Amino acid sequence: MFRHPQNHWPKILTAAVVTAVGLLVFKYLPMSIWGREILFDASGHVASAIFVLYVLWFFIDQNKSWRMPFLIFSALVLFVIAVQRIIDNAHNDIGLLGGLALGLVAIAAAERKNVRKKLRF
């Protein structure tokens, strides 16, 4: 079923706002407290990459045969970013997990209606 593109803008804006606020709280605030050399601040590269991949998903989702290759591509992109950030000594595992969690929370906030249908407590 084709969805009108205007319906995607509120989801994209919600994910962008949650990502931006999360980076302010979990990246820039800790950096201002403990200094720029800390490794446990949330990775802005991972969170931003997840946001960009989420936006790209709206185009990929229209063709079912592209979904699985895109998910593999997304996992590969996030893996390469994570390895590069560790090699560059810019983040540790806590910082990378923080960026991953932030990206997933942003998507969950944007897709809250679908998430509520899938998860019941």
Side-chain angles (χ1 to χ4, degrees):
M1 176 167 74
F2 181 74
R3 291 177 252 163
H4 197 273
Q6 291 178 343
N7 296 336
H8 299 313
W9 285 110
K11 292 180 179 183
I12 292 171
L13 291 175
T14 299
V17 168
V18 170
T19 301
V21 170
L23 286 175
L24 284 173
V25 171
F26 296 112
K27 180 173 182 63
Y28 296 110
L29 184 63
M31 284 174 55
S32 68
I33 295 172
W34 290 288
R36 297 187 61 81
E37 293 78 28
I38 61 172
L39 300 178
F40 59 86
D41 59 317
S43 175
H45 288 85
V46 172
S48 300
I50 290 173
F51 173 72
V52 169
L53 291 168
Y54 176 65
V55 172
L56 290 175
W57 175 256
F58 289 114
F59 298 101
I60 300 299
D61 190 39
Q62 296 172 12
N63 188 343
K64 288 185 180 187
S65 66
W66 291 359
R67 290 178 184 174
M68 189 54 65
F70 181 75
L71 292 176
I72 293 169
F73 170 75
S74 298
L76 183 64
V77 166
L78 293 174
F79 175 76
V80 168
I81 291 172
V83 168
Q84 186 275 332
R85 300 312 290 162
I86 290 174
I87 289 173
D88 196 35
N89 202 25
H91 289 288
N92 61 12
D93 55 344
I94 302 298
L96 295 172
L97 286 173
L100 178 66
L102 176 58
L104 294 177
V105 166
I107 291 173
E111 297 287 339
R112 64 188 169 274
K113 290 179 184 175
N114 293 331
V115 171
R116 278 192 200 144
K117 289 178 186 176
K118 303 285 184 201
L119 299 176
R120 293 186 184 182
F121 290 100

